[in-house]
């Protein structure tokens, strides 16, 4: 295979920035163009619902590389620019401004878009989503003593924002159709840990119900009417009901798409000259034996090196299991793996003090681990998960037994 000379990367988030970084680190000396729709330098998104949203971290702390880095590494960074079409026959990307860009290889890192409510009032002022720097800055301005925030959705984004709002003195209500927050991600038992945490900090939950309407006066949100008939007053509303992968560009180009862009373990799409990384990549995962699409920081951070290796003629496979982290109030957690059945949980430590490690088992083999206010766990447990070695649940639950001796 001849070496590519022109590589175009579409997507100005962490995945796009790490792709161009990986290409240069692996010795690629051809032309690289990075297309970024936002006006900001490519940045990491987790701080938007954590430190940056709280006002403790600067935006610069989230920026992947300073502007000079792109100049020094001969990367043509095009901010505030959108790719509007891909012509796979002539290998060209059409932009909203300027001449089409030719490519030998193309990497899609187009990320995802927050889902929107379709109910009456959803387009009113002070109805927010949380995806961009501007979203975070606008939402942060809504926080304050006795300011009323209604969060729609009890997932990670919604609960992290709820925690920050409470710490700023806001009155917070979380609305969700589920019975227990985070149950879809962690199961009922772990979800209950987080529900208790938020209730202790004054968050009100309205569960087993949905939003029928966002009430508004003069175009500005004033509250949320629920399907159970209750109305909750609000000075601001945050919609955190998940995200959709941005696949329209890929689909229009004729790439195989199904819950993301379908890629093999090497992150190749159905077109051999196009790769996909990050939120949009639905990977034929060699370890899980099934397709996996993960919208988390670690995916955007680490997949680009795999794509770059294969794009440049090497051979690498994406074999990492899902990893994510969350900070809420004084509780920090990390998670790695694929959870199993709820009744397979083994707990090391105390749920009451929220200092514990939770393990999901399948036939006494660890499939996932979550550490809460206990650190240096993931790296110690990863080899056990990879080896698929059975463990003794009693020893696993004993804090006195080192992981290396399981």
């Amino acid at each position: 295979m001849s070496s590519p000379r022109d590589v175009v990367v579409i997507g100005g988030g962490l995945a796009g920035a790490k792709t161009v970084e990986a290409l240069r680190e692996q010795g690629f000396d051809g032309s690289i163009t990075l297309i970024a729709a936002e006006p900001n330098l490519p940045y990491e998104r987790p701080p938007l619902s954590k430190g940056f949203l709280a006002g403790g971290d600067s935006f610069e702390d989230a920026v992947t590389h300073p502007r000079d880095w792109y100049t020094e590494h001969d990367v043509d960074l095009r901010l505030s620019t959108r790719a509007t079409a891909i012509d796979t026959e002539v290998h060209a990307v059409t932009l909203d401004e300027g001449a089409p860009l030719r490519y030998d290889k193309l990497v899609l890192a187009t990320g995802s878009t927050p889902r929107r409510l379709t109910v009456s009032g959803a387009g009113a002022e002070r109805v927010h989503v949380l995806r961009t720097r501007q979203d975070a800055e606008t939402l942060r301005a809504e926080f304050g003593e006795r300011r009323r925030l209604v969060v729609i959705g009890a997932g990670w984004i919604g609960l992290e924002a709820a925690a920050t709002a409470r710490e700023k003195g806001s009155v917070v209500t979380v609305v969700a159709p589920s019975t227990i927050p985070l149950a879809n991600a962690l199961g009922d038992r772990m979800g209950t840990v987080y529900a208790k945490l938020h209730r202790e900090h004054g968050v009100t939950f309205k569960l087993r119900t949905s939003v029928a309407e966002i009430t508004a006066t003069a175009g500005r949100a004033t509250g949320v009417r629920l399907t159970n008939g209750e109305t909750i007053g609000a000075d601001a509303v945050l919609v955190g009901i998940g995200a959709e992968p941005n696949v329209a560009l890929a689909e229009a180009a004729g790439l195989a798409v199904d819950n993301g862009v379908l890629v093999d373990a090497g992150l190749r799409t159905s077109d051999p000259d196009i790769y996909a990384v990050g939120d949009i990549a639905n990977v034929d995962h060699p370890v899980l034996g099934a397709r996996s699409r993960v919208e988390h920081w670690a995916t955007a951070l680490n997949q680009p090196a795999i794509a770059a290796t294969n794009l440049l003629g090497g051979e690498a496979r994406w074999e990492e299991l899902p990893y994510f982290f969350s900070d809420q109030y004084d509780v920090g957690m990390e998670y790695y793996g694929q959870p199993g059945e709820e009744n397979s949980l083994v707990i090391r430590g105390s749920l009451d003090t929220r200092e514990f490690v939770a393990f999901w088992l399948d036939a006494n083999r660890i499939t996932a681990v979550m550490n809460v206010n206990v650190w240096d766990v993931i790296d110690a447990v990863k080899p056990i998960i990879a080896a698929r070695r059975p463990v003794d649940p009693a020893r696993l639950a004993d804090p006195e037994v080192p992981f290396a001796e399981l």
Side-chain angles (χ1 to χ4, degrees):
M1 181 184 74
S2 61
S3 177
R5 296 308 307 159
D6 300 297
V7 176
V8 174
V9 180
I10 302 175
L14 176 62
K18 298 302 286 188
T19 297
V20 302
E21 176 187 311
L23 288 167
R24 289 301 188 223
E25 285 187 344
Q26 294 184 29
F28 178 63
D29 61 1
S31 76
I32 301 177
T33 303
L34 176 58
I35 307 301
E38 290 188 50
N40 305 290
L41 291 170
Y43 60 93
E44 301 184 18
R45 298 193 188 274
L48 299 185
S49 61
K50 299 179 175 70
F52 181 67
L53 181 64
D57 297 339
S58 72
F59 179 73
E60 286 65 33
D61 293 334
V63 169
T64 312
H65 298 298
R67 186 177 293 274
D68 288 350
W69 184 94
Y70 296 95
T71 302
E72 293 166 0
H73 290 81
D74 196 21
V75 174
D76 181 5
L77 174 61
R78 304 200 186 183
L79 302 177
S80 301
T81 302
R82 292 186 179 276
T84 58
I86 301 167
D87 188 327
T88 59
E89 293 296 322
V90 301
H91 282 57
V93 177
T94 302
L95 307 177
D96 57 357
E97 292 185 2
L101 287 173
R102 186 196 171 280
Y103 68 85
D104 294 315
K105 299 290 184 181
L106 176 66
V107 181
L108 299 177
T110 49
S112 54
T113 298
R115 293 190 183 101
R116 303 277 181 163
L117 287 175
T118 57
V119 300
S120 174
E125 291 181 36
R126 295 187 171 173
V127 177
H128 305 276
V129 294
L130 185 52
R131 176 68 184 177
T132 68
R133 174 187 183 176
Q134 183 177 5
D135 292 339
E137 290 175 338
T138 303
L139 180 62
R140 184 201 301 157
E142 302 281 17
F143 298 161
E145 290 293 332
R146 292 183 293 279
R147 296 275 299 171
R148 300 167 300 168
L149 175 69
V150 174
V151 178
I152 301 170
W156 294 112
I157 293 292
L159 292 189
E160 287 176 356
T164 299
R166 281 297 301 135
E167 290 175 329
K168 298 297 183 181
S170 297
V171 178
V172 179
T173 303
V174 175
V175 177
S178 58
T179 302
I180 298 172
L182 296 174
N184 288 342
L186 301 176
D188 289 354
R189 193 173 178 191
M190 292 298 100
T192 298
V193 171
Y194 277 93
K196 182 179 179 182
L197 170 68
H198 279 271
R199 288 188 173 110
E200 287 176 1
H201 283 83
V203 172
T204 298
F205 284 98
K206 300 292 183 180
L207 302 174
R208 305 183 193 89
T209 188
S210 300
V211 176
E213 176 190 11
I214 294 178
T215 60
T217 300
R220 176 174 291 183
T222 59
V224 173
R225 184 171 62 82
L226 306 181
T227 52
N228 65 9
E230 183 178 2
T231 296
I232 306 165
D235 299 300
V237 177
L238 172 63
V239 180
I241 55 175
E244 296 287 349
N246 294 328
V247 299
L249 197 62
E251 191 168 28
L255 303 184
V257 169
D258 183 9
N259 182 31
V261 179
L262 299 183
V263 294
D264 65 12
L267 304 176
R268 305 172 187 86
T269 72
S270 55
D271 183 311
D273 292 327
I274 302 179
Y275 294 73
V277 294
D279 287 2
I280 64 169
N282 189 346
V283 186
D284 187 3
H285 202 291
V287 175
L288 298 175
R291 288 207 167 269
S292 175
R293 188 179 69 82
V294 178
E295 297 173 0
H296 288 303
W297 167 84
T299 306
L301 180 73
N302 297 313
Q303 279 188 348
I306 303 296
T309 296
N310 293 314
L311 183 156
L312 296 175
E315 197 59 46
R317 301 196 309 172
W318 177 249
E319 297 180 337
E320 285 294 317
L321 297 178
Y323 168 87
F324 56 90
F325 64 97
S326 182
D327 299 310
Q328 299 174 40
Y329 309 107
D330 58 351
V331 174
M333 66 83 77
E334 294 180 292
Y335 173 96
Y336 176 81
Q338 287 285 96
E341 297 296 326
E342 181 87 347
N343 58 13
S344 71
L345 270 174
V346 171
I347 306 298
R348 173 185 287 223
S350 170
L351 297 184
D352 291 335
T353 64
R354 289 189 282 266
E355 293 183 359
F356 65 90
V357 184
F359 301 91
W360 283 260
L361 303 185
D362 180 8
N364 288 344
R365 294 177 173 87
I366 302 173
T367 61
V369 57
M370 183 176 84
N371 50 290
V372 176
N373 282 354
V374 179
W375 307 109
D376 301 321
V377 171
I378 300 293
D379 287 344
V381 176
K382 265 187 176 183
I384 304 174
I385 295 177
R388 295 184 57 78
R389 183 175 72 244
V391 297
D392 179 348
R395 288 173 58 79
L396 185 63
D398 186 349
E400 299 302 317
V401 178
F403 292 124
E405 296 180 11
L406 289 171

